[in-house]
Amino acid sequence: MIDNPRSPRVRAVAKLAKRAAREETGLFLVEGPQALREALSFHPELIVDVFATRGVFERHPELGRGLSVAGIEAEAVSNAVLEAMADTVTPQGVIAVCRQFPVTIKDLLAQGARLVAILEEIRDPGNAGTIIRAADAAGADGVILTGKSVDAYNPKVVRSTTGSIFHLPLAQGGTLEHALHAVRAAGMQVLAADISGEELPTLRGDLPRPTAWLFGNEAHGLSEAQLALADRAVRVPIYGHAESMNLATAASVCLYQSAFAQRD
């Protein structure tokens, strides 16, 4: 059992909470039974190490079976060690270290993508992770993070996806202009979510088309120059008295409206 929270190995895992360490190593943290379950189901080849406290596999026997099938042996650690490794205050008994698996925008679009989310300067990890999860649920073909958006492998982003990070391609880095050029070359229209746009229900005739939804920064949205790069600006109407909608909620509505239309 690893029981020294100050050991070099424990510190190396804990450093993965920082972007610099993730970029240097190409690794990222996966915390909790649900995220590990999805990693084992979809990308077991990415798992480098698994650390678990006593009793976790009794509570989650499917994890033990999955690790056995994948030929991965978990290392026992004390509660103090797991707390030192984890990004969360109260870790759920198991942590994995996985290899990152980003794709290029070209590869993401190569199989005839019909629905994509583009995140431009999304800074909040919870929003980014929730949008990735919503894109996965809506059957999107991938998510593209551009500009100064949060790192997709940030521990808070990974947790917010609840495992969806392992389900669909993610491309990050590069400029918005490059991403929009690529999706247009792939035959997709670009719809920008913005409060200045047309109401979403009026686009019913256009929503079945292959679509790249563009979502901007939580605080200031998309600039006029960025909006000009889109084919149309679209807003989710508010029928009640709410002052506004959370970005991730609005993104979920937009993605699902496209998913409904494309499957009608």
Side-chain angles (χ1 to χ4, degrees), residues 160-219:
S160 296
T161 71
T162 64
S164 284
I165 193 169
F166 294 107
H167 299 169
L168 75 173
L170 299 175
Q172 64 178 355
T175 65
L176 176 61
E177 289 80 3
H178 171 70
L180 296 184
H181 175 77
V183 297
R184 282 206 176 91
M188 309 183 83
Q189 66 177 339
V190 178
L191 301 180
D194 190 80
I195 58 172
S196 67
E198 309 165 61
E199 290 197 351
L200 181 58
T202 67
L203 271 71
R204 287 192 180 94
D206 293 307
L207 288 177
R209 295 173 53 195
T211 300
W213 277 100
L214 172 59
F215 305 107
N217 178 269
E218 299 90 343

Side-chain angles (χ1 to χ4, degrees), residues 64-115:
R65 292 193 294 269
L67 289 170
S68 178
V69 170
I72 300 168
E73 185 174 350
E75 296 194 56
V77 298
S78 66
N79 290 329
V81 164
L82 199 75
E83 289 172 4
M85 289 177 168
D87 182 63
T88 53
V89 177
T90 54
Q92 300 176 55
V94 64
I95 287 178
V97 174
C98 294
R99 298 183 187 89
Q100 298 177 23
F101 54 109
V103 302
T104 65
I105 296 176
K106 180 180 178 180
D107 288 341
L108 187 152
L109 300 170
Q111 302 302 316
R114 291 186 55 79
L115 182 59

Side-chain angles (χ1 to χ4, degrees), residues 117-123 131 144-149 175-177 179-180 184 190-198 212-236 247 250-251 254:
I118 301 175
L119 312 187
E120 167 65 8
E121 295 194 14
I122 304 299
R123 303 294 182 86
I131 295 173
I144 302 169
L145 296 94
T146 59
K148 297 179 181 178
S149 289
T175 65
L176 176 61
E177 289 80 3
L180 296 184
R184 282 206 176 91
V190 178
L191 301 180
D194 190 80
I195 58 172
S196 67
E198 309 165 61
W213 277 100
L214 172 59
F215 305 107
N217 178 269
E218 299 90 343
H220 53 72
L222 296 163
S223 68
E224 290 187 10
Q226 290 168 336
L227 286 171
L229 297 173
D231 297 309
R232 301 170 80 167
V234 184
R235 66 184 173 92
V236 178
L247 170 65
C254 294

Side-chain angles (χ1 to χ4, degrees), residues 23-73:
E23 290 179 346
E24 180 182 350
T25 62
L27 303 173
F28 72 106
L29 285 175
V30 174
E31 298 187 39
Q34 174 60 26
L36 177 57
R37 188 179 297 115
E38 299 307 305
L40 286 167
S41 297
F42 287 84
H43 285 291
E45 76 283 357
L46 298 175
I47 300 173
V48 176
D49 289 305
V50 175
F51 304 95
T53 55
R54 189 186 305 276
V56 71
F57 296 124
E58 283 75 16
R59 297 191 299 273
H60 303 280
E62 75 285 357
L63 295 182
R65 292 193 294 269
L67 289 170
S68 178
V69 170
I72 300 168
E73 185 174 350

